[in-house]
Amino acid sequence: MTSHQTTQTMKPATAAKKLGVYLEATPAEFREGVVSRAELNALQTDPPQWLRELRRDGPHPRPVVAAKLGVSISGLARGGVTEPLTTEQIEALKAERPEWLERERATQAEVRKEAARIKKRDAERGERADAQA
């Protein structure tokens, strides 16, 4: 019996998320269709001009904005940033250094430090368990 393989497709919102772009800023033909796994791979390996421009200039979705600012998505919301931002707006925020941004960056640094401490502790526990076994 021969196996019938179907083409795996995804909604444009899923593809936009995987590409790290804001869906509403993509071309209409991207938003209105479906994206196959092969098309997504092609967009990732050889992005068209519109995708390169979106990634460079924005508007960027919240996860990208948060990463560029060095804060969490929740931190963005606490700071009142609920809309997608362009690269220019992100750079302006970095230059302004509002109090909420500094506070959220400090919080994020503490979170990363605590995660590193826990990872180190768990690795040490694993080494001790291996030595005792």
Side-chain angles (χ1 to χ4, degrees):
M1 191 157 47
T2 60
S3 64
H4 179 74
Q5 189 171 8
T6 59
T7 303
Q8 191 178 21
T9 60
M10 62 193 82
K11 294 177 183 176
T14 304
K17 191 174 193 176
K18 289 179 181 287
L19 292 169
V21 296
Y22 181 56
L23 178 64
E24 300 304 316
T26 60
E29 60 268 12
F30 180 85
R31 287 191 310 269
E32 293 165 1
V34 293
V35 181
S36 72
R37 176 66 60 190
E39 290 169 332
L40 178 68
N41 289 341
L43 287 169
Q44 289 172 325
T45 55
D46 186 24
Q49 186 64 32
W50 66 264
L51 182 54
R52 287 194 301 269
E53 288 174 5
L54 265 182
R55 285 178 169 168
R56 184 183 61 236
D57 302 326
H60 303 288
R62 284 181 303 164
V64 174
V65 173
K68 286 179 180 270
L69 289 174
V71 299
S72 66
I73 295 172
S74 299
L76 282 180
R78 285 189 293 270
V81 178
T82 57
E83 298 296 316
L85 299 179
T86 63
T87 300
E88 188 176 307
Q89 291 169 313
I90 293 169
E91 293 304 318
L93 267 176
K94 284 181 179 178
E96 289 172 21
R97 300 176 69 103
E99 180 188 331
W100 71 265
L101 181 58
E102 294 302 311
R103 187 174 56 249
E104 292 300 333
R105 282 181 167 174
T107 300
Q108 194 68 4
E110 286 297 317
V111 167
R112 283 192 294 271
K113 193 161 60 172
E114 180 65 7
R117 184 191 70 78
I118 290 170
K119 185 176 180 180
K120 181 180 177 190
R121 181 200 68 193
D122 291 349
E124 289 170 354
R125 283 182 180 171
E127 289 171 8
R128 282 197 301 264
D130 289 346
Q132 291 175 355

